[in-house]
Amino acid sequence: GPLGPAAVPFDEGAFQRALCLLSDRRLRVGIHAGLGCMDYSPALVRVAELLQAPVSTSMSGKGVIAENHPLAVGWGYGPQGTRTAEQVFKSVDVLLAVGVRYSEVSTGFYSQPQHRHLIQVDINAQNLGRIMRTEVCVHADAGLFLGRLLEQEPMLCRPPDSRRIEQIRTLKAQERRINGQ
């Protein structure tokens, strides 16, 4: 029969593969958040804090994390993004892209750097793995995915990364000076 509104996609197997990568404390995680996260800001921020993961946004995801949050690095993460995002994401091993479509324009005509591991989460299965080489494609609603991650707090919780926070703070200050703000 027809699917009711309760039929929100959630790929459990892919979620478990994503969880395995995200809980490996030897790997540094970065989050790229898109429009799909817009209704789930508090959960996104909490996941970032648990993972001590810097957060960049797509152009349409701007505002999903407060600009002044210590883990916020601005938009994009490649040469077309903010300088802060580009620098910070150079040290990322696992890129968690949540609710990001990865279009030609959003990738700066495919100039986004390829990370060792890419986990892409999207409610639209057709967006998954289309543009970037993706290790784990999770067909799921962003809010449901983030909520499920928060249930795994003990597995994901990392100690505060003061060196990374300081790097982000310094780069953002330099960027403001360059932009005359």
Side-chain angles (χ1 to χ4, degrees):
L3 294 174
V8 179
F10 194 84
D11 182 337
E12 185 62 41
F15 173 78
Q16 292 301 329
R17 291 194 298 280
L19 188 59
C20 189
L21 278 171
L22 295 171
S23 60
D24 185 340
R25 288 180 177 80
R26 295 165 304 187
L27 301 173
R28 285 166 301 192
V29 179
I31 297 173
H32 188 51
L35 187 62
C37 292
M38 220 30 112
D39 294 335
Y40 310 112
S41 289
L44 175 79
V45 170
R46 184 75 193 107
V47 166
E49 290 167 351
L50 277 179
L51 293 167
Q52 288 295 293
V55 179
S56 70
T57 70
S58 66
M59 284 305 282
S60 56
K62 276 179 130 175
V64 74
I65 185 170
E67 299 278 329
N68 63 355
H69 189 284
L71 290 167
V73 297
W75 66 274
Y77 57 85
Q80 84 297 352
T82 62
R83 195 170 154 271
T84 301
E86 184 181 15
Q87 291 302 314
V88 170
F89 271 70
K90 282 182 175 163
S91 64
V92 161
D93 303 305
V94 180
L95 180 65
L96 173 58
V98 186
V100 181
R101 204 177 60 231
Y102 278 127
S103 65
E104 193 173 303
V105 175
S106 75
T107 59
F109 297 93
Y110 312 115
S111 66
Q112 294 283 53
Q114 183 73 53
H115 289 84
R116 216 167 93 205
H117 306 281
L118 172 60
I119 300 165
Q120 188 181 0
V121 181
D122 206 286
I123 195 161
N124 183 344
Q126 280 148 352
N127 291 338
L128 292 168
R130 221 187 55 201
I131 303 286
M132 307 289 283
R133 193 185 74 236
T134 309
E135 184 169 341
V136 183
C137 292
V138 187
H139 183 210
D141 169 72
L144 202 52
F145 178 83
L146 294 166
R148 284 290 309 280
L149 281 183
L150 291 176
E151 291 169 9
Q152 306 297 323
E153 182 168 343
M155 267 179 85
L156 297 176
C157 192
R158 296 172 184 225
D161 188 343
S162 51
R163 281 192 23 232
R164 169 160 275 166
I165 302 277
E166 183 55 30
Q167 176 198 23
I168 293 170
R169 197 192 61 70
T170 304
L171 285 166
K172 284 203 290 204
Q174 287 170 358
E175 209 166 341
R176 279 195 301 275
R177 276 198 304 279
I178 292 165
N179 297 333
Q181 294 170 332

